[in-house]
Amino acid sequence: MVANILDAIEDVVRPGVPTMRFEELARDMCAQYKVKPAFLGYCGYPFALCCSVNEEVVHGFPSTRLLQEGDIVSIDMGVVYEGFVGDAARTFAVGEVSDEAKRLMRVTEDALYAGIAEAHAGNDVYAIGAAVQRMVEAAGFNVVRRFVGHGVGAKMHEKPEVPNFKPAMRGLPLQNGMVIAIEPMVTVGTYEVDILEDNWTAVTRDRKPAAHYEHSIAITHDGPRILSISDRGRPERALMVDRSNNNG
Ligand code: MF3
Ligand code: CO
């Protein structure tokens, strides 16, 4: 459902659209699915989704702001269905964007999949962030430290934390049956962020652009299973995550 909502939003992203349109769409689809948006009211968060434009990294508010050609917009959405949370995010291009913005989006999504490939039982949870960081820095970009991925289940944020960088210490081993949200936030410039006056919107300190991709992943005997693939799907991506790709 979360992935289908992101697909529906992707279809209406274009120059001139107010970002509040995405919020309305998300709420309408939640009503149709008879599910609750997971973010609304969470720690006082006032919307169903997060909408972060250009230098906004995460937790931006939808608003009357009109998207412009060349913007990139990150949409983060979660729902609660039968007591369990699903959480996913993607960054979309608004019309034609710069080559740098395209590369930022591609590298961030590729880094997400590099992290997913590490999400198998017995592996250190920090291997995920190590793979993400390696790919991102090899491309000349940076990973945000301030926010991390997380276990996801009956609550949106559960243990373990899933950083997008390699911490100095060892982490705990991943186990079959765990469900985690992997969500690299990648910046063109500094990875330092500021929080705006609204107490939510995280922006890059140098105000250069950022991208954000997130999937909810189950650790299974067959390896990582992406739970937030839409009905429309991305078969070429789903196929990336098979056993041949994650043998350690
Ligand atoms: N995907 C984000 C996260 O994992 C969504 C949280 S936004 C909030 O933290 F508003 F709900 F906090
Ligand atoms: Co999340």
Side-chain angles (χ1 to χ4, degrees), residues 121-198:
N123 215 5
D124 187 310
V125 62
Y126 294 160
I128 294 168
V132 169
Q133 182 177 24
R134 201 179 315 123
M135 179 165 290
V136 167
E137 292 180 356
F141 297 137
N142 290 295
V143 291
V144 170
R145 274 56 163 176
R146 172 83 175 263
F147 303 102
V148 296
H150 49 93
V152 56
K155 289 188 292 182
M156 177 157 65
H157 293 140
E158 300 184 354
K159 287 182 179 173
E161 287 197 353
V162 184
N164 299 298
F165 55 92
K166 190 182 181 328
M169 65 239 98
R170 269 211 335 230
L172 293 175
L174 294 165
Q175 293 174 25
N176 288 324
M178 293 174 73
V179 180
I180 57 174
I182 305 179
E183 50 178 318
M185 288 144 269
V186 174
T187 60
V188 162
T190 182
Y191 61 74
E192 296 285 357
V193 301
D194 292 324
I195 308 297
L196 297 186
E197 295 275 272
D198 61 19

Side-chain angles (χ1 to χ4, degrees), residues 38-50 58-59 61 76-78 87-89 147-150 156-157 181 183 185 200 212 214:
F39 302 172
L40 186 62
Y42 181 88
C43 298
Y45 187 75
F47 296 101
L49 53 68
C50 302
V58 285
H59 305 163
F61 290 172
D76 192 346
M77 178 66 195
D87 187 8
F147 303 102
V148 296
H150 49 93
M156 177 157 65
H157 293 140
E183 50 178 318
M185 288 144 269
W200 279 100
H212 178 211
E214 176 178 25

